[in-house]
């Protein structure tokens, strides 16, 4: 978990408490193409979008939260410009993910969760899955899971 704290100094809290909720949604995701992830929470909160290929309960004691995914790709997420930021005055932000044109990604589920913090309180969003399909295909598998 030390890597999480280094990647997210604004979210490393001395007295973590539960915050008032954050939601994550998904739009798009064809192969190749762009998936967008609208994030809704409290205006001015910092956010960090996490991506993983593994769904697993992952406690983060330093933030007082539990994720539904692993932090195996945290470095890649920290280096993706729209995955880190501040929610606007309406409490909204949109992260984007460029789905590469790699046939091996077709039908491989990727899971996303957002973490938000105001510097005192941290919260984790619902889990959102993206399964990329060829743009020529008429099907796009997207599912949302509640925490």
């Amino acid at each position: 978990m030390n890597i999480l704290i280094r990647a997210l100094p604004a979210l490393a809290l001395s007295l973590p408490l539960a915050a008032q909720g954050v939601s994550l949604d998904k739009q798009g995701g064809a192969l190749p193409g762009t998936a967008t992830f609208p994030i809704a929470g409290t205006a001015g909160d910092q956010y960090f979008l996490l991506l993983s290929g593994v769904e697993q309960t992952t406690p983060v004691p330093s933030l007082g939260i539990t994720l539904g995914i692993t932090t195996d790709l945290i470095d890649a997420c920290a280096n993706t410009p729209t995955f880190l930021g501040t929610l606007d005055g309406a409490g909204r932000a949109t992260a984007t993910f460029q789905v590469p044109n790699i046939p091996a990604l077709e039908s491989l589920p990727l899971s996303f969760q957002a973490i938000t913090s105001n510097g005192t309180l941290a919260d984790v969003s619902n889990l959102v899955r993206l399964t990329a399909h060829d743009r020529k295909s008429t099907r796009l598998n997207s599912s949302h899971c509640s925490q």
Side-chain angles (χ1 to χ4, degrees):
M1 291 301 137
N2 288 338
I3 196 166
L4 179 62
I5 292 171
R6 282 194 319 252
L8 305 172
L11 297 179
L13 309 172
S14 59
L15 297 172
L17 302 169
Q20 290 300 313
V22 59
S23 66
L24 180 64
D25 201 359
K26 182 198 72 66
Q27 299 164 342
L31 180 74
T34 301
T36 59
F37 295 90
I39 303 165
T42 303
D45 280 6
Q46 298 292 307
Y47 74 87
F48 183 51
L49 184 64
L50 289 169
L51 154 69
S52 179
V54 180
E55 289 184 16
Q56 165 183 310
T57 301
T58 305
V60 184
S62 61
L63 299 177
I65 60 173
T66 300
L67 298 168
I69 60 177
T70 63
T71 57
D72 56 333
L73 297 174
I74 193 166
D75 288 335
C77 295
N79 289 311
T80 303
T82 64
F83 279 29
L84 267 162
T86 303
L87 299 178
D88 67 16
R92 305 213 179 267
T94 301
T96 58
F97 177 69
Q98 202 61 38
V99 183
N101 192 14
I102 300 172
L105 289 178
E106 190 170 338
S107 300
L108 175 71
L110 299 174
S111 301
F112 295 78
Q113 277 191 292
I115 299 171
T116 61
S117 175
N118 66 7
T120 304
L121 306 173
D123 202 5
V124 63
S125 76
N126 54 298
L127 183 142
V128 175
R129 291 186 189 107
L130 171 98
T131 303
H133 289 279
D134 189 303
R135 214 177 262 258
K136 297 172 191 166
S137 172
T138 57
R139 53 183 204 143
L140 175 64
N141 181 8
S142 169
S143 60
H144 296 264
C145 302
S146 298
Q147 275 295 80

